[in-house]
Structure formats: C-alpha cells, structure tokens
Amino acid sequence: MKKIILCLLCTITISLASHSQQIETFDSNSWNWTEISQPKGKVYIVDGVMRLESKMDKEILITEFVANFSTHCYLPLDPQKGFHIKCNALVDKISDGKQFGIILDYTDDMNCVLFMIEDDIAQIFRIREGRIVGKQKAQFRIQEGKKKAKLDIEMTYKSDELEVRVNDVQAILCKNIPIKSNGFGFFAYGKCKVDFDNVEIVTD
C-alpha cells in the first residue's frame, strides 16, 4: 500500500511539474510591469488591477501606440513551446475611436504584435522596426454593450497559430504568425479607462 501511495505521489508531482500555472493578480508588481504617469494619462497598479487611464485625443499611428501609452512585462514562459494566456478586462465606453488591446511578442516599442478591439472590429498587427508588416482583421461585436464591458480574454498559441477569444467567442484566428519573445502587455488609446486583472499563464 505504501508503494502504491508513493507511486501516486510521484505521478502527481511529475504531472504538476510538466503542467505549470501562474497567475498575476496585481496585488503587487511581482512581474515587474512598467508604470507611467504623465499629462496624457497614467498606467499604474491600483486596487488589485492594472489600470490604463488614457486622455489622448491626438491622431497617432498604430505603430506609435506602444511607445505612447502601454505597460509590459516578461512572462515566465517560452512562447515557442506554445502557451495559453487568460486575463480579464473592464472597459469604459467601447466606442468613438477608443482603442485598447494586448501586446504580444514584445521586444521593444518598435517590435511587437498587437491585438486590438475597436468598435466592432478585432485586429492583429505585426510591427517590425516601427512598420506594420502584417495585418489581419475580423468582424467582432462585444455583446455586453458599449459601457462598462466585462471581458474574459483568452489567447492560445501553438505552431505559429494564434487564436484570441473574448467572452468565449472567437475574435480572431491568425495562422503563420511566429511569436518568439515572452514580452507581454497592454495598451490603450483615446479618452478611455481600462482595468486589466488576473493574467493567467498555463504552459505544458
């Protein structure tokens, strides 16, 4: 009996080691997220969320979003082995050109992948050396209405294929989009406020 119990414990330990899970609840800045405060807005951890308060209304290029108003960290995973990332967002007023989204494959402000929701469109942009080198969009409507939308966002990446689901509905599916960096973050643009929380990473 003791041998059986020991074997079971070993099996559970091996299983847990091969299937790790980590969650960022923003009760502290344990993953070293960047924070900023300036006249055009603030990006900071408060009340257990990562809050982006953007006051920008000047027209800028998509390629300037990350440099102007974003936060990022480096996730404890190897993206080339595939990943499944989940997070929650609470968004004020999804309308009138207000844009927000998620940063993947972040190397620096000029090299990254952006997932963005704007009005009724979900889009993916690949940015290299400050230029858009790839773009894909899909029709997508957030069902909860235009104000105080609660979003459950899931990103699954495997074999150069990225799927993003919002509230358990596929927002966009991109094939042949290699992700090599574990840099990850959030951005916002326009006069809006977005709270991100509960970033959960599961890797095999």
Side-chain angles (χ1 to χ4, degrees):
M1 180 62 73
K2 289 182 178 179
K3 289 183 178 180
I4 293 173
I5 293 173
L6 183 60
C7 287
L8 286 172
L9 288 173
C10 288
T11 301
I12 292 170
T13 300
I14 291 171
S15 177
L16 290 174
S18 63
H19 190 75
S20 60
Q21 177 174 324
Q22 294 185 335
I23 300 176
E24 170 67 275
T25 61
F26 295 107
D27 292 319
S28 63
N29 194 354
S30 58
W31 288 358
N32 297 315
W33 297 83
T34 56
E35 299 177 85
I36 60 172
S37 179
Q38 51 191 348
K40 59 187 175 185
K42 294 193 296 184
V43 180
Y44 61 113
I45 294 173
V46 61
D47 298 330
V49 299
M50 171 60 79
R51 178 165 294 166
L52 287 77
E53 294 181 3
S54 172
K55 300 176 183 178
M56 298 180 65
D57 55 8
K58 179 182 177 182
E59 287 285 338
I60 62 173
L61 300 174
I62 296 292
T63 52
E64 298 176 322
F65 278 13
V66 176
N68 276 270
F69 206 73
S70 67
T71 178
H72 71 272
C73 71
Y74 293 93
L75 300 177
L77 57 80
D78 180 355
Q80 297 183 67
K81 294 180 179 179
F83 58 75
H84 183 196
I85 302 172
K86 297 192 286 187
C87 66
N88 308 128
L90 180 64
V91 188
D92 284 349
K93 299 179 182 179
I94 303 177
S95 61
D96 303 326
K98 297 173 176 62
Q99 298 139 327
F100 68 96
I102 291 171
I103 306 165
L104 294 162
D105 199 29
Y106 177 88
T107 302
D108 54 43
D109 292 349
M110 299 177 69
N111 296 274
C112 57
V113 170
L114 302 183
F115 166 72
M116 181 173 74
I117 296 175
E118 180 184 8
D119 296 327
D120 297 332
I121 298 292
Q123 299 185 82
I124 290 282
F125 295 90
R126 292 180 61 200
I127 298 173
R128 292 292 177 265
E129 302 300 327
R131 298 183 299 109
I132 297 174
V133 298
K135 176 183 177 181
Q136 184 175 332
K137 65 180 180 179
Q139 194 75 35
F140 178 73
R141 180 183 295 274
I142 294 174
Q143 299 297 325
E144 293 196 24
K146 297 293 186 180
K147 294 184 179 181
K148 293 288 184 182
K150 295 180 180 179
L151 311 178
D152 296 321
I153 303 170
E154 296 187 49
M155 293 145 283
T156 303
Y157 175 74
K158 187 175 182 180
S159 302
D160 290 352
E161 182 174 294
L162 174 67
E163 180 189 25
V164 184
R165 300 181 67 85
V166 179
N167 293 348
D168 204 28
V169 177
Q170 187 184 84
I172 200 164
L173 175 66
C174 293
K175 298 187 177 182
N176 194 27
I177 181 169
I179 295 178
K180 298 180 179 180
S181 171
N182 63 340
F184 175 86
F186 308 112
F187 70 91
Y189 177 75
K191 293 184 178 180
C192 63
K193 181 175 75 173
V194 188
D195 289 343
F196 288 98
D197 198 6
N198 299 320
V199 181
E200 180 179 349
I201 301 102
V202 180
T203 57
D204 294 326

